[in-house]
């Protein structure tokens, strides 16, 4: 097998290892305070949620307000397995992760088949309903603990939590980078840009929509398992539509179709309220304002032009800096 | 079997709430032919393309591609059977690169599955390299290879039209439908485009059905034409004869 290594890839690998090492040292030496340590784990599953939703909203261009459904299915399926399997922690987590992901993918597949004909606002409303529907179903399935949910899920220590969370984030980033740069990923962006043209070159739109929802819910399911192991319990109240909205805010703030943006926005949105404890009460209000502002700005051509100009200037500055460096060499 | 026409349309028609947008259209296009479809505004030309590509289902009639009946099939299936098109109002994948636009057209010619794509298995690398090469050589036919990394929506108008043709060609069609490819181009660009269309026909042995507004342009490159007016065929046959037909001249110049 031929693996192509290029500079960019090596750079990313080094960066990933470096970030891991730094945070690991901070945790192990106790420099990072306890509250911050758990924050690191929380960030990891939110990053996965934001990345996976970005595939639907940013790359495919469909507005889904039901992401919490897939997250819930993953969390419940994975944690139920973990509770009843009695395996040692690490294999238990890995198998639960897969079970959570696959269960969520199956539900994602079924739901997407049901909503194929819907677009825009209708799709948003129906996915929102599906989110709440799954939450109510979970309450009445025997063995899942009703409204109290599942408790006593095996738990990580902080360091393990961070390590596994980090590993899942990296895996999801690799999946998404490779997926979006494959023929399937290109097709999805093509559908977003112009559905009629996509059909004219022989693209079966429905098949790809189902594919996107399935892949996306697989990842959201894994986030659910991470969450369950982090919190050591899952209950229906963890998966209200607020979660879906919160994740959507991350995607929109980070930029539709930008993986980097989703990661950064998720980190900021999870970390900020913890850092500014007093502001936490206004969190939803701040999200709403930020979301509406971004949507208004993004749909205004003037703002887009402004942004493009700013970026151009940034690039030219960067180019002149590298040019100076080259000359200095 | 060499005398099966590439496209055979019989009594094709569609009605939109009482309006007969296309009525009783019959025509036959030979392999490797460059055929013109002309007519004044609102004559039903684009509607014919929409019928032939499954965007609309015909209310009457049938059409066959290379002897295979395609009436009633959907857009995706029709493209896979060998009809590709461009659009009068350009429809590119605007946020994607020029190269990726063509690679989307090549997508169905690759076979690696989602897992091979995510895990970057050997078939992924092999087919992606192959697609890159094919896409670049198609782009160079249309003089777009220099701009392969541009965002499609940033191309100048004339080049966007060419990119649409390149993307359609990427699906390896038997029949290429071009809807006013020269619209909005200046005379120089138009002349150059006509050269390219002729070249595409030669190089790929392509059968081409071309909608055009400009009669001079049509007479320059099409062997046969059909003139539509209010959805019905006004005249059909050898280009020079049809364009000399007084009925055609009145339809174009008005009563
Ligand atoms: N989906 C539709 N619903 C209702 N009427 C339609 C539809 N599509 C086309 N028509 C009508 O059919 C007629 C033919 O339209 P068409 O677009 O095919 O004309 P055309 O010959 O391509 O004209 P142009 O030269 O302006 O492009 C017009 O009167 C148009 O309004
Ligand atoms: Mg038209």
């Amino acid at each position: 097998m031929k693996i192509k290594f290029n500079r960019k890839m090596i750079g990313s690998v080094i960066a990933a290892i470096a970030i891991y090492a730094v945070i690991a040292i901070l945790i192990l030496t106790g420099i990072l305070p306890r509250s911050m340590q758990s924050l690191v784990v929380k960030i990891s599953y939110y990053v996965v949620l934001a990345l996976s939703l970005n595939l639907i909203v940013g790359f495919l261009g469909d507005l889904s307000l039901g992401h919490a459904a897939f997250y819930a299915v993953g969390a419940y399926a994975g944690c139920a397995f973990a509770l009843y399997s009695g395996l040692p922690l690490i294999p238990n987590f890995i198998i639960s992760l897969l079970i959570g992901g696959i269960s969520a993918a199956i539900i994602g597949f079924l739901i997407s088949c049901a909503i194929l004909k819907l677009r825009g606002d209708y799709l948003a409303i129906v996915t929102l309903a599906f989110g709440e529907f799954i939450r109510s179903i979970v309450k009445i399935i025997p063995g899942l603990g009703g409204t109290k949910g599942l408790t006593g899920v095996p738990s990580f220590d902080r360091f393990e939590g961070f390590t596994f969370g980090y590993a899942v984030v990296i895996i999801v980033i690799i999946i998404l980078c490779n997926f979006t740069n494959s023929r399937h990923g290109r097709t999805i962006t093509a559908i977003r840009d112009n559905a009629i043209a996509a059909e004219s070159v022989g693209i079966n739109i429905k098949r790809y929509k189902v594919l996107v929802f399935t892949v996306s819910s697989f990842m959201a399911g894994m986030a659910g398992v991470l969450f369950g192991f982090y919190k050591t319990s899952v209950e229906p109240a963890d998966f209200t539509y607020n979660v879906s909205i919160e994740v959507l805010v991350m995607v929109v703030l980070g930029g539709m179709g930008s993986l980097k943006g989703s990661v950064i926005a998720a980190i900021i949105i999870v970390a900020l309220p913890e850092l500014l404890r007093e502001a936490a009460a206004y969190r939803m209000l701040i999200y709403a304002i930020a979301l509406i502002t971004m949507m208004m700005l993004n749909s205004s051509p003037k703002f887009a032009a402004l942004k493009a100009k700013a970026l151009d200037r940034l690039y030219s500055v960067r180019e002149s800096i590298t040019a100076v460096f080259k000359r200095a060499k | 079997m060499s005398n099966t026409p590439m496209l055979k349309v019989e009594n094709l028609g569609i009605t939109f709430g009482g309006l007969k947008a296309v009525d009783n259209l019959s025509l036959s296009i030979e392999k490797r032919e460059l055929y013109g479809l002309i007519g004044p505004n609102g004559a039903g030309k684009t509607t014919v393309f929409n019928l032939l590509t499954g965007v609309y289902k015909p209310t009457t009639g049938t059409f066959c591609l290379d002897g295979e009946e395609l009436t009633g099939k959907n857009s995706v299936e029709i493209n896979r059977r060998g009809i590709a098109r461009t659009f009068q109002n350009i429809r590119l994948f605007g946020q994607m690169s020029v190269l990726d636009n063509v690679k989307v057209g090549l997508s169905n010619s690759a076979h690696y599955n989602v897992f091979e794509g995510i895990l970057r298995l050997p078939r992924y690398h092999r087919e992606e390299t192959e697609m890159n090469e094919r896409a670049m050589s198609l782009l160079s036919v249309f003089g777009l290879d220099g701009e392969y990394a541009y965002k499609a929506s940033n191309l100048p108008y004339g080049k966007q039209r060419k990119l649409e043709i390149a993307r359609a060609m990427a699906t390896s069609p038997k029949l290429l439908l071009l809807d006013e490819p020269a619209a909005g181009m200046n005379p120089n660009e138009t002349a150059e485009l006509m050269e390219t269309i002729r070249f595409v026909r030669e190089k790929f042995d392509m059968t081409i059905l071309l909608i055009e507004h400009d009669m001079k342009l049509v007479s320059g490159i099409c062997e046969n034409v059909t003139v539509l007016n209010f959805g019905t065929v006004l005249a059909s046959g050898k280009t020079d004869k049809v364009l000399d037909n007084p009925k055609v001249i009145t339809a174009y110049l008005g009563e």
Side-chain angles (χ1 to χ4, degrees):
Chain A
M1 197 176 118
K2 193 174 59 182
I3 297 177
K4 286 181 189 158
F5 283 110
N6 53 32
R7 273 219 187 133
K8 211 175 145 196
M9 226 164 106
I10 295 171
S12 320
V13 171
I14 293 173
I17 295 172
I19 292 170
Y20 176 77
V22 168
I23 300 175
I25 290 168
L26 289 178
I27 292 176
L28 288 173
T29 53
I31 294 174
L32 214 60
R34 288 229 135 234
S35 64
M36 294 286 279
Q37 290 183 12
S38 63
L39 195 61
V40 170
V41 183
K42 194 172 171 190
I43 285 173
S44 70
Y45 58 77
Y46 268 103
V47 166
V48 173
L49 281 174
L51 284 170
S52 60
L53 183 63
N54 202 344
L55 196 57
I56 298 177
V57 178
F59 286 89
L60 180 65
D62 271 353
L63 184 52
S64 165
L65 295 180
H67 214 53
F70 313 127
Y71 180 47
V73 170
Y76 267 96
C79 293
F81 174 83
L83 263 177
Y84 298 119
S85 77
L87 288 167
L89 182 68
I90 291 173
N92 201 2
F93 172 71
I94 293 172
I95 297 175
S96 303
L97 193 68
L98 283 175
I99 289 182
I102 291 167
S103 314
I106 292 170
I107 298 296
F109 173 83
L110 293 175
I111 289 183
S112 61
C113 288
I115 58 178
L116 270 180
K117 288 237 163 89
L118 303 174
R119 275 201 203 131
D121 300 347
Y122 297 102
L123 182 73
I125 292 164
V126 173
T127 48
L128 183 71
F130 263 114
E132 290 302 297
F133 172 68
I134 293 279
R135 215 163 64 87
S136 333
I137 292 277
V138 156
K139 282 186 202 164
I140 56 169
I141 293 180
L144 294 184
T147 47
K148 288 222 183 65
L150 299 171
T151 51
V153 178
S155 74
F156 294 133
D157 63 31
R158 301 266 194 248
F159 179 67
E160 286 166 340
F162 159 66
T163 304
F164 284 112
Y166 193 79
V168 174
V169 167
I170 297 292
I171 290 170
V172 164
I173 290 176
I174 292 173
I175 291 179
L176 281 177
C177 280
N178 288 354
F179 182 67
T180 52
N181 286 306
S182 71
R183 71 186 180 102
H184 309 95
R186 279 193 298 272
T187 300
I188 287 154
T189 320
I191 293 172
R192 177 198 68 195
D193 279 3
N194 202 311
I196 292 177
E199 282 190 317
S200 85
V201 291
I203 287 165
N204 186 338
I205 292 181
K206 289 180 180 170
R207 238 190 82 203
Y208 280 95
K209 284 202 173 180
V210 172
L211 175 67
V212 167
F213 271 87
T214 310
V215 172
S216 169
S217 28
F218 177 78
M219 295 183 291
M222 294 203 296
V225 180
L226 267 178
F227 165 76
F229 273 67
Y230 158 74
K231 198 187 157 217
T232 70
S233 69
V234 290
E235 53 184 318
D238 293 327
F239 308 104
T240 60
Y241 65 84
N242 277 326
V243 178
S244 303
I245 304 290
E246 210 169 357
V247 177
L248 183 66
V249 171
M250 293 169 184
V251 172
V252 175
L253 285 183
M256 312 260 206
S258 159
L259 298 180
K260 239 185 247 166
S262 287
V263 174
I264 294 168
I267 294 175
I268 291 174
I269 289 180
V270 176
L272 263 190
E274 304 281 335
L275 299 178
L276 317 164
R277 277 253 161 229
E278 308 83 74
Y282 300 106
R283 206 178 58 188
M284 288 318 278
L285 182 67
I286 294 170
Y287 289 167
I289 293 171
L291 190 62
I292 293 167
T293 320
M294 281 309 285
M295 281 180 165
M296 273 160 51
L297 285 178
N298 280 340
S299 64
S300 116
K302 259 190 200 154
F303 178 70
L306 214 70
K307 210 164 73 175
K309 229 183 189 174
L311 274 179
D312 271 352
R313 196 158 305 159
L314 215 67
Y315 283 134
S316 65
V317 167
R318 199 173 70 178
E319 256 161 42
S320 44
I321 290 174
T322 45
V324 167
F325 272 109
K326 266 187 195 154
R327 230 175 293 145
K329 266 188 192 168
Chain B
M1 288 300 282
S2 66
N3 47 12
T4 337
M6 184 53 88
L7 181 74
K8 185 148 189 65
V9 176
E10 277 174 334
N11 307 321
L12 203 64
I14 187 166
T15 316
F16 293 118
L19 171 81
K20 283 184 174 167
V22 175
D23 189 24
N24 222 4
L25 172 74
S26 297
L27 56 86
S28 175
I29 305 178
E30 296 307 316
K31 286 177 182 137
R32 299 191 78 247
E33 194 177 353
L34 231 165
Y35 197 104
L37 184 62
I38 63 173
N41 280 108
K45 306 179 294 293
T46 299
T47 307
V48 171
F49 273 21
N50 285 335
L51 288 170
L52 293 178
T53 53
V55 175
Y56 301 145
K57 304 272 180 280
T59 13
T60 64
T62 58
F63 62 97
C64 294
L65 179 75
D66 203 8
E68 181 185 17
E69 181 163 354
L70 297 181
T71 325
K73 300 229 184 311
N74 64 35
S75 304
V76 173
E77 210 162 327
I78 286 179
N79 176 262
R80 291 187 182 195
R81 301 295 167 94
I83 301 183
R85 73 177 289 184
T86 64
F87 296 88
Q88 186 171 357
N89 47 339
I90 301 174
R91 289 179 176 275
L92 286 171
F93 307 128
Q95 300 302 306
M96 303 176 74
S97 74
V98 168
L99 180 70
D100 279 353
N101 266 268
V102 178
K103 282 172 82 179
V104 171
L106 288 169
S107 204
N108 284 332
S109 67
H111 303 286
Y112 69 82
N113 62 33
V114 179
F115 294 102
E116 287 171 300
I118 288 174
L119 298 173
R120 303 248 157 133
L121 296 183
R123 185 148 74 150
Y124 164 86
H125 289 292
R126 197 172 60 237
E127 292 188 338
E128 281 289 317
T129 317
E130 214 174 274
M131 275 197 265
N132 281 333
E133 281 163 7
R134 280 179 64 191
M136 284 309 288
S137 76
L138 259 175
L139 284 176
S140 67
V141 168
F142 294 91
L144 290 166
D145 44 342
E147 283 105 333
Y148 77 95
Y150 281 39
K151 204 162 92 170
S153 60
N154 287 346
L155 283 181
Y157 194 76
K159 295 201 164 182
Q160 291 197 9
R161 288 221 172 267
K162 286 184 176 176
L163 178 56
E164 258 206 329
I165 305 177
R167 181 184 66 189
M169 286 301 297
T171 65
S172 311
K174 291 176 173 174
L175 172 69
L176 181 62
L177 309 179
L178 303 176
D179 198 343
E180 302 200 21
M185 289 188 178
N186 65 36
N188 280 338
E189 285 176 316
T190 306
E192 192 196 314
L193 179 77
M194 289 306 141
E195 253 339 289
T196 315
I197 291 176
R198 251 194 225 114
F199 179 76
V200 166
R201 197 238 321 233
E202 297 307 319
K203 185 171 159 84
F204 301 97
D205 276 338
M206 193 52 48
T207 311
I208 299 174
L209 174 58
L210 176 93
I211 292 182
E212 225 354 294
H213 234 88
D214 185 343
M215 285 212 283
K216 273 195 213 113
L217 204 149
V218 174
S219 60
I221 68 169
C222 296
E223 288 98 21
N224 290 295
V225 293
T226 288
V227 185
L228 276 183
N229 194 21
F230 296 116
T232 56
V233 176
L234 199 63
S236 195
K238 287 265 168 280
T239 308
D240 330 336
K241 285 212 183 116
V242 169
L243 296 188
D244 283 342
N245 186 327
K247 275 201 293 188
V248 175
I249 294 166
T250 12
Y252 257 84
L253 299 179
E255 324 308 316

